[in-house]
Amino acid sequence: MTPINENLDLAPRMSASIARYADRNFDWNAFPRNEGYAGLERAAAGFVGGSPNSKVNDPHTLKPEHFTVMMVHLPLGKYAALHSHDVLEESYLVFGGVLTVGWERDGELIEVRLGPKDMISIANSIPHGLRNDGVEPAQFVVVAETGKPDRTRYYAHPRDTDPALAARLGVPPEKTMPFNPFDPHPLQQLMARHVVRYADRAVSWNPAGFARKVYAGEGAVKPSSNRKELIFVPCGKGVKSYVRDVEDVYLITEGVVTVGWEEDGRVHEARLGRKDVMFNPAGRPHYFRNEGTERCEFFMLVGSKEPERVKFQAC
């Protein structure tokens, strides 16, 4: 491995593409339409760009290219009202707690409970809402396909719906069904094509020495704009520098990941911990490595729906 060169140009540019979890400022007023409604309380912190229905122009976020990344903290018993928006792709990756996600169609609601490292990709324009029915706060990451908030439509907001019904995402109990991927009901089958269970995803090993679970891409949820994979890097493994024609993002879930940028023979590296984010712009030679004593793991978000073209090489 080439020694780290603390280049005074490359180092600050790389540092400016890192969003550390410890530096995020969670905003309890990130969703202006929730203000004044106690049941809708939740906080959000931007990592890459903005997301639908949230504030824009947050100076603490990294500049987006093809998608945005935002983390949401949902306290016990709180919810997000039933709504829809125009983005082609929006996904929720659960980091902690249990998140209940409901989809509504024709007055019926399907609810699925997601645990850590589970994901749901929201079908285009489907009315959906969130709730924390667990025993601890839920924390999840929203990945949306554009950098600009769009027009959000509410269907059961407590400002014009009975608060108790709004908390049930606008549908009474007799019209609410638990998620069952074997049920032939059309809404059940639609949701089944968009839910990813961490425990159910098959592991494949790359010749470069790391493993992957595909969440959105070939053999998994069909992506509209970006791919998502969970990457596992054993101790002592890593890859040589590679380049994409689109951006990719590392969202660390476990362990410590050493990341590096290369430019004209110069190298700069940094170490990222859990919930930190690294944004690698299109055309930037970059790599990852595990120098620790335990395996590391991160979500790789790629700004393209096309199959993987990178031929990774072990370092």
Side-chain angles (χ1 to χ4, degrees):
M1 178 58 62
T2 306
I4 296 176
N5 184 337
E6 293 292 344
N7 182 269
L8 295 179
D9 180 31
L10 184 60
R13 282 189 282 132
M14 180 177 172
S15 180
S17 289
I18 294 173
R20 294 191 183 277
Y21 177 74
D23 295 334
R24 298 302 90 191
N25 295 316
F26 277 83
D27 185 357
W28 287 92
N29 296 311
F31 303 92
R33 296 186 191 181
N34 293 343
E35 294 181 19
Y37 300 96
L40 298 180
E41 292 175 346
R42 62 190 188 274
F47 284 78
V48 181
S51 286
N53 197 30
S54 67
K55 293 178 181 176
V56 295
N57 300 323
D58 184 342
H60 301 291
T61 62
L62 306 176
K63 185 178 179 180
E65 292 183 11
H66 291 89
F67 58 86
T68 67
V69 181
M70 178 178 68
M71 186 171 287
V72 177
H73 175 90
L74 185 64
L76 179 63
K78 306 300 182 180
Y79 70 100
L82 190 73
H83 65 283
S84 69
H85 23 219
D86 299 328
V87 294
L88 293 176
E89 188 165 345
E90 180 189 30
S91 299
Y92 304 146
L93 299 166
V94 179
F95 259 79
V98 175
L99 181 68
T100 297
V101 180
W103 285 14
E104 186 273 342
R105 177 179 281 175
D106 299 327
E108 295 182 313
L109 187 77
I110 306 293
E111 290 187 341
V112 62
R113 292 191 175 191
L114 305 173
K117 301 178 189 176
D118 291 345
M119 185 193 85
I120 185 169
S121 179
I122 306 300
N124 189 23
S125 298
I126 194 80
H128 58 283
L130 317 169
R131 194 172 60 248
N132 183 352
D133 295 327
V135 296
E136 61 182 326
Q139 203 169 61
F140 60 97
V141 170
V142 181
V143 181
E145 108 313 320
T146 59
K148 297 180 180 178
D150 72 334
R151 183 178 60 165
T152 299
R153 304 171 184 84
Y154 282 96
Y155 301 91
H157 195 284
R159 71 182 174 216
D160 48 30
T161 303
D162 175 75
L165 185 61
R168 295 197 58 87
L169 307 182
V171 178
E174 62 271 18
K175 293 289 187 177
T176 300
M177 296 171 280
F179 174 58
N180 179 359
F182 304 107
D183 188 331
H185 190 289
L187 189 56
Q188 292 274 18
Q189 289 303 300
L190 178 64
M191 180 177 273
R193 294 194 296 272
H194 290 79
V195 169
V196 177
R197 299 286 192 191
Y198 168 78
D200 293 340
R201 297 309 302 156
V203 174
S204 63
W205 284 90
N206 187 282
F210 67 88
R212 55 200 280 263
K213 288 188 175 189
V214 179
Y215 277 51
E218 188 175 2
V221 173
K222 184 178 180 180
S224 297
S225 62
N226 57 82
R227 298 200 319 276
K228 304 175 183 70
E229 299 180 3
L230 191 60
I231 305 296
F232 306 82
V233 188
C235 299
K237 299 295 184 179
V239 301
K240 293 181 179 179
S241 184
Y242 67 94
V243 179
R244 295 188 188 277
D245 58 2
V246 296
E247 80 279 23
D248 66 23
V249 163
Y250 304 158
L251 174 59
I252 314 303
T253 54
E254 302 290 345
V256 175
V257 182
T258 298
V259 296
W261 280 12
E262 292 185 0
E263 183 177 277
D264 299 328
R266 299 167 295 170
V267 176
H268 183 70
E269 293 185 347
R271 291 181 176 85
L272 307 180
R274 189 168 184 266
K275 301 183 184 179
D276 291 343
V277 167
M278 178 78 229
F279 181 93
N280 300 295
R284 163 61 57 195
H286 59 291
Y287 57 87
F288 57 84
R289 188 172 70 250
N290 182 357
E291 297 178 320
T293 58
E294 59 183 359
R295 79 167 189 182
C296 61
E297 175 185 290
F298 61 92
F299 275 107
M300 180 183 287
L301 314 174
V302 181
S304 170
K305 65 180 180 180
E306 300 302 319
E308 183 65 86
R309 294 193 179 98
V310 173
K311 302 298 183 183
F312 294 99
Q313 297 180 19
C315 62

